Amino acid sequence: MRLETERLVLDLHGVEHFEPLAQMWSDATVVHHIAQPSTPQDAWMRLLRYRGLWPLLGYGYWALTEKASGRFVGDLGFADFHRAIEPSIRGVPEAGWVLAGWAHGQGFASEALTAALAWLDRQGTHESSVCLIAPENKPSLRLARRFGFRDERIVSFSGHDTLLLRRALPA
């Protein structure tokens, strides 16, 4: 499950990622388009959920670490969270990413998403992948669209209008 890029290691989440993950998810400026800031318990449950995706689904989230410094960069990967939205996206890998505040604007998300999508495409097990992005989250929308995710529709998710974007498996 380990992937490497020029500057990053993408690896399964482990106990060693808990503290920086909890710090990142408690930062209101980092999560304001995604969720409310998380408590340490919420962050622990997130880490367990990330790790549990892999044996159940054959895909999941990676912990991103900067090679040069060993510093935790963020989380990125795919999930099926059985979200209560219409149309249903159950069974479709849902891409997602969140980076620590210090890592924004350095191209880490693009670098990691390149590796993650290449990995998913090589699996050949899904016709498409999706992502859900708040319409006001312009940086994430630019990133998703750059990687071939196309606006499909606006859906109601957790009481908010959210863009559902889809990316077809390349031919």
Side-chain angles (χ1 to χ4, degrees):
M1 312 304 178
R2 181 183 171 108
L3 303 176
E4 292 194 28
T5 68
E6 182 180 338
R7 299 181 297 159
L8 298 171
V9 173
L10 290 70
D11 210 348
L12 297 179
H13 285 81
V15 174
E16 68 277 11
H17 298 114
F18 172 67
E19 292 298 334
L21 181 143
Q23 183 177 4
M24 177 182 72
W25 280 96
S26 71
D27 184 340
T29 61
V30 169
V31 302
H32 72 278
H33 292 300
I34 304 168
Q36 295 296 316
S38 296
T39 66
Q41 180 179 348
D42 294 336
W44 179 248
M45 297 305 291
R46 178 173 279 108
L47 186 146
L48 295 175
R49 183 170 53 243
Y50 285 165
R51 187 65 182 246
L53 289 166
W54 288 99
L56 293 173
L57 303 177
Y59 56 85
Y61 269 67
W62 289 275
L64 311 179
T65 305
E66 185 182 33
K67 283 181 179 178
S69 67
R71 196 170 181 190
F72 179 78
V73 173
D75 306 320
L76 181 140
F78 308 99
D80 181 352
F81 292 127
H82 287 232
R83 302 207 191 269
I85 65 168
E86 289 296 329
S88 175
I89 57 173
R90 284 190 179 184
V92 180
E94 178 189 333
W97 51 87
V98 60
L99 273 61
W102 72 268
H104 291 187
Q106 298 185 49
F108 288 130
S110 180
E111 190 172 322
L113 192 55
T114 298
L117 286 170
W119 177 88
L120 184 68
D121 293 347
R122 283 193 305 274
Q123 307 315 299
T125 54
H126 298 89
E127 295 177 9
S128 65
S129 55
V130 296
C131 59
L132 295 169
I133 301 176
E136 60 277 4
N137 188 346
K138 302 301 183 200
S140 281
L141 285 172
R142 279 192 304 274
L143 180 68
R145 290 172 178 150
R146 189 169 358 121
F147 281 88
F149 287 91
R150 299 292 173 244
D151 295 22
E152 188 165 289
R153 65 180 63 197
I154 294 176
V155 297
S156 179
F157 174 61
S158 296
H160 301 283
D161 283 347
T162 303
L163 283 172
L164 170 63
L165 298 96
R166 186 174 300 269
R167 176 185 176 270
L169 177 69

